[in-house]
Amino acid sequence: MSEYSAVGGLESFEWSRRDAARYHAAIEAIEEAIACYTRLRNRAVTSGNAAESERLQVEQSVCIAEQQRLRVDDPANVTRVLTDYPPLIAWLRQRIG
C-alpha cells in the first residue's frame, strides 16, 4: 500500500447528501447573482454608462470571491449564502426587468 494520499494530504471531511445539496444550492445561488450582474454590466456598457459598469463589476467580483471561498465544511457560511442571496437575486432580476 502506498504512503501517499490520493487527496494530497487534505483533511477528510464527512458530509451528508443534505450538506452536499445545500453547498451546491449555495454555489448555484452565487452563480445566478454573477449572471445577473453580467447582464446588468452588459446593459451599462451598451448604454455607455462606464461608472455603472465599474460599480457592477466590483459587486460581481465580491460574489466571485465569495464563491471561491465557499467550503462544504463551513455550514454557517453556506447557510448565510442561502439566506442572503435569494433576496439579492430577486433585486437584481427586478433591475434586469
Side-chain angles (χ1 to χ4, degrees):
M1 184 172 288
S2 172
E3 294 181 23
Y4 297 100
S5 168
V7 292
L10 297 175
E11 282 188 42
S12 68
F13 173 75
E14 287 193 37
W15 51 326
S16 67
R17 286 184 186 208
R18 182 176 187 274
D19 293 334
R22 290 174 52 76
Y23 171 76
H24 288 292
I27 290 292
E28 288 179 15
I30 296 171
E31 287 174 353
E32 179 66 24
I34 291 168
C36 289
Y37 278 118
T38 297
R39 289 187 68 186
L40 290 168
R41 283 183 55 220
N42 288 344
R43 183 183 296 168
V45 168
T46 300
S47 68
N49 191 340
E52 177 71 358
S53 175
E54 186 174 322
R55 185 186 68 73
L56 291 165
Q57 182 176 7
V58 168
E59 292 176 16
Q60 185 181 45
S61 295
V62 170
C63 294
I64 292 167
E66 182 156 52
Q67 184 182 40
Q68 292 170 345
R69 286 189 311 267
L70 193 64
R71 300 286 178 254
V72 71
D73 60 350
D74 185 0
N77 201 27
V78 169
T79 297
R80 185 192 55 75
V81 167
L82 292 172
T83 300
D84 293 351
Y85 271 75
L88 172 63
I89 293 165
W91 181 77
L92 290 168
R93 284 180 179 164
Q94 185 177 27
R95 289 189 60 200
I96 291 169

